[in-house]
Amino acid sequence: MQTVEKRSRQIVGKLAAQAAARELLPSGLWFHDDIRNNFYYASYLYAAASDPDIRVRFDREGAKETATAVLERVLELQDRREGSETYGHWPLGLGDEPERAEPNTLPVELMGSLMLYFVERCGESLSQKLRKAFEEALKAVYDSRFYDRPLKEYGHHEAKYTAAKLLFGAFYDDQPLLEDGRRSLKDLLEYVQNRGMHEYGSQPWFWHWVQAFTCVRLLLDDPEITDDLNRMLDLLWRERSLHYIGGAWAGPHARGLAVDAPRDRNAAFDYLQYGDFRLPPELVRAEYAGFLYYEAPEDARIAAIDRLVPTEVKKKILKPQPNGSDRELHSYTYLTDAYAAGGMWEQSEEFDNEQHRWDITFPLSYELGNAVNQAYFIHPGKGYAEGDLRHESPYAKILPDRSVVMAMYPVPEGEDPTIVGVLPKGEWIREERALFGQVGGAYLAVYLRNEYELEETEDRLNVRSTGSHGAVVIEAASVEEAESLDADDLEGFAVLMRDRTPSFAPDGRSVSYRSLHSRRLELILAETGEAEAKINGKAAEFSDYVR
């Protein structure tokens, strides 16, 4: 396995190459959809061009000039209008005319702190013009007081505000601001220690937590603040390690982007920390992953990489509600070295209807190109679009248990009951109401209550199952697990699993299944519309779930 330093240079070099290969737009920028990408790519291009230990295939001086020009262009778009409510901010989407784009509150949250880091890292080699431009921009960020907000939601926005208070308080010797940041850090740390993270599995925003506090950790040397930062970062990486499998993020997600599902593509942070999988051919949403490194606790890293002994992760999550109360959610994930399975027992209203309830997750692999690494089904809900399986209806009832996920979709009359799903590429045996496949080092059995249509595309299998009372049962098994049951290949696995076909009730109100772990699983829909889950004849309980 490569050292952290080599992995860091590899990420920096790869992203610099991606930047160098892009043509600048007439505006002098690479991107108009998100101004932050221009800053990130230019940072990588400048850093790679300046580091003789990073092998590049572009002209170093020319690259530095390009990066410098892009950085200057980004800084020029900051709002410097005296008295403006968005003073010190940048626009987010730039449209056709960047100069006319309206300032947005989001870019400065993280980019402001990372600009401080860039100046500290590369400041001595910057041109006088660019360094002066950064000084003016950072002073405007400090004067904007965007971070001057109390803790209220205890989410990723406030994590970034807290980091900014600490960084800009120290950078400008603003002791009241620094003390405010110190208090915010302690309060935020206490909150997540005692209550857990209600932004469960939200990858892009989880990485904002990590980047913000790692940035502070690398730039500040106050012993008390450093101690709390270590505690916070240890907590974050322990949380990440609990759901880690070969570059992928197993388990349910409160929110996600298209780069998160049905394929884990946001892999740069994991690659730098764990390094147990091949770096993807192209990196997306890497932000400052190549620059910011904090070593996770050794026991957490070892546990994340070594999945030879299957692990059950049972999490109790307190989800704040609009009325000020808390709702208790229960997250279940079962992880092996070949696959992970699990989900959130309860449906939860999350931002933009982006809750990802359940899936079977496989380690990242590029033997099959950019094929997806997740298998799951949804009943489409608000925000759903063809090919984007991130928005589902509230009707699913699930039972996750070890290598199995059972799901029923009691869709009300008058609504389309069709369920849609996605399966990874691999070798598949297709039957009328079942599919048996091999994906890497694992087998997968998929049973559907109704008949289905299958479409194979470049990176996935799309499944569409019509009919009322839709339901699905999925079970995964490693090749070694299957061999222990005398299934030596995919056909042998299919023979084994045909004899275990679930029992779907004729009225669609229940399904029962005996798993490969010899556990009798039942999911029963009551007249009230609620579902009862039974494992070996007993109602599922959450007494052993912890925060």
Side-chain angles (χ1 to χ4, degrees):
M1 188 180 295
Q2 293 180 326
T3 65
V4 169
E5 290 75 17
K6 287 185 177 179
R7 294 201 297 273
S8 174
R9 289 193 174 98
Q10 192 177 358
I11 292 173
V12 173
K14 184 177 280 286
L15 283 159
Q18 289 178 204
R22 294 189 71 92
E23 288 190 22
L24 289 171
L25 300 171
S27 63
L29 299 166
W30 289 300
F31 304 93
H32 279 192
D33 58 339
D34 189 331
I35 192 174
R36 295 171 294 191
N37 289 330
N38 295 288
F39 169 66
Y40 299 144
Y41 270 50
S43 299
Y44 282 112
L45 186 59
Y46 191 95
S50 304
D51 188 342
D53 290 328
I54 297 178
R55 298 172 63 181
V56 300
R57 296 184 178 181
F58 47 74
D59 175 65
R60 291 182 184 272
E61 289 306 313
K64 287 178 71 171
E65 290 177 5
T66 298
T68 296
V70 172
L71 290 169
E72 289 175 350
R73 192 76 182 92
V74 168
L75 298 177
E76 287 172 0
L77 294 175
Q78 186 184 37
D79 182 1
R80 303 278 183 82
R81 298 171 298 174
E82 292 293 337
S84 169
E85 293 184 358
T86 54
Y87 181 80
H89 287 62
W90 280 269
L92 180 61
L94 301 179
D96 295 329
E97 298 181 78
E99 291 80 5
R100 292 178 173 271
E102 290 294 323
N104 187 287
T105 57
L106 293 178
V108 74
E109 284 186 6
L110 182 63
M111 192 169 72
S113 295
L114 298 182
M115 283 182 172
L116 262 178
Y117 177 85
F118 180 78
V119 171
E120 288 297 304
R121 174 184 172 122
C122 301
E124 292 185 4
S125 67
L126 300 179
S127 69
Q128 185 176 355
K129 177 183 177 184
L130 180 57
R131 185 172 181 87
K132 186 174 187 299
F134 266 117
E135 290 173 354
E136 293 174 351
L138 290 170
K139 183 61 164 60
V141 169
Y142 168 65
D143 289 339
S144 74
R145 310 295 293 187
F146 81 89
Y147 42 76
D148 197 8
R149 306 187 194 187
L151 295 176
K152 181 179 179 182
E153 297 179 355
Y154 295 85
H156 65 284
H157 293 293
E158 288 161 9
K160 290 179 282 187
Y161 301 152
T162 298
K165 290 175 184 178
L166 292 167
L167 285 170
F168 286 93
F171 192 75
Y172 289 100
D173 195 23
D174 184 334
Q175 290 304 312
L177 179 58
L178 186 63
E179 286 303 312
D180 187 13
R182 191 193 306 268
R183 287 191 300 270
S184 292
L185 176 60
K186 287 184 177 297
D187 291 346
L188 193 59
L189 178 58
E190 181 181 8
Y191 184 94
V192 295
Q193 283 177 328
N194 295 333
R195 297 172 54 90
M197 298 189 69
H198 59 78
E199 294 179 310
Y200 54 91
S202 298
Q203 292 185 51
W205 301 278
F206 177 86
W207 296 128
H208 283 191
W209 281 75
V210 171
Q211 289 175 94
F213 289 122
T214 304
C215 185
V216 183
R217 176 66 178 80
L218 295 176
L219 294 182
L220 265 59
D221 56 7
D222 181 297
E224 181 184 349
I225 294 175
T226 295
D227 184 58
D228 284 339
L229 288 169
N230 290 344
R231 294 173 187 271
M232 175 65 80
L233 289 166
D234 284 353
L235 184 153
L236 292 171
W237 279 108
R238 287 187 185 282
E239 182 75 15
R240 174 65 191 108
S241 293
L242 282 175
H243 297 90
Y244 178 82
I245 173 174
W249 192 311
H253 307 274
R255 296 185 61 189
L257 298 178
V259 298
D260 305 320
R263 176 173 180 76
D264 288 86
R265 298 174 63 208
N266 193 346
F269 300 94
D270 285 332
Y271 182 76
L272 186 59
Q273 185 69 252
Y274 304 105
D276 65 332
F277 63 95
R278 285 177 53 197
L279 197 62
E282 182 179 7
L283 293 174
V284 297
R285 290 196 68 88
E287 296 178 346
Y288 255 43
F291 297 128
L292 305 174
Y293 177 70
Y294 174 87
E295 186 175 25
E298 184 177 11
D299 62 315
R301 284 188 295 110
I302 292 174
I305 294 173
D306 180 9
R307 295 292 186 195
L308 291 178
V309 177
T311 302
E312 286 182 295
V313 177
K314 299 179 178 182
K315 299 281 287 184
K316 185 186 298 181
I317 297 164
L318 293 179
K319 190 72 180 181
Q321 301 299 296
N323 63 4
S325 65
D326 289 318
R327 183 186 179 200
E328 198 169 89
L329 305 178
H330 301 90
S331 166
Y332 176 89
T333 313
Y334 180 78
L335 301 106
T336 74
D337 63 338
Y339 65 88
M344 183 68 73
W345 285 85
E346 300 87 1
Q347 188 270 341
S348 177
E349 291 294 329
E350 304 291 354
F351 180 85
D352 201 24
N353 190 33
E354 289 182 357
Q355 185 190 35
H356 182 68
R357 283 285 295 280
W358 66 270
D359 68 30
I360 308 292
T361 300
F362 301 94
L364 291 188
S365 169
Y366 299 97
E367 295 176 1
L368 299 173
N370 288 319
V372 304
N373 70 305
Q374 298 164 9
Y376 62 93
F377 284 76
I378 67 168
H379 176 255
K382 181 180 179 182
Y384 171 79
E386 194 73 30
D388 182 1
L389 279 70
R390 293 180 302 128
H391 308 280
E392 57 186 288
S393 77
Y395 305 128
K397 311 296 182 182
I398 75 168
L399 191 171
D401 182 74
R402 298 191 182 178
S403 55
V404 178
V405 179
M406 301 171 65
M408 297 171 60
Y409 300 89
V411 180
E413 288 188 23
E415 294 191 37
D416 185 353
T418 299
I419 61 175
V420 295
V422 60
L423 301 173
K425 300 275 278 191
E427 184 182 356
W428 287 92
I429 295 174
R430 308 171 188 179
E431 301 187 350
E432 186 177 7
R433 286 183 171 84
L435 299 100
F436 307 103
Q438 181 170 3
V439 181
Y443 295 116
L444 195 63
V446 182
Y447 306 98
L448 291 151
R449 182 177 186 275
N450 300 318
E451 295 183 4
Y452 65 88
E453 298 175 353
L454 189 70
E455 176 195 23
E456 184 169 355
T457 63
E458 183 180 356
D459 67 342
R460 69 189 69 184
L461 302 182
N462 292 309
V463 187
R464 187 178 185 86
S465 181
T466 57
S468 61
H469 304 290
V472 60
V473 175
I474 294 184
E475 179 159 25
S478 70
V479 168
E480 292 77 15
E481 288 172 326
E483 287 176 348
S484 71
L485 298 170
D486 298 325
D488 296 328
D489 55 20
L490 176 58
E491 182 57 48
F493 178 74
V495 170
L496 172 68
M497 301 308 287
R498 287 189 189 105
D499 292 337
R500 313 184 79 85
T501 299
S503 176
F504 295 103
D507 63 1
R509 302 192 69 83
S510 69
V511 56
S512 60
Y513 178 70
R514 184 174 290 278
S515 74
L516 290 174
H517 293 268
S518 296
R519 290 162 72 85
R520 184 159 46 91
L521 309 177
E522 298 173 89
L523 194 55
I524 305 164
L525 189 66
E527 293 296 332
T528 61
E530 295 301 313
E532 181 182 11
K534 292 185 177 182
I535 301 174
N536 291 332
K538 297 182 179 180
E541 297 181 354
F542 303 116
S543 58
D544 57 346
Y545 282 58
V546 298
R547 291 197 193 105

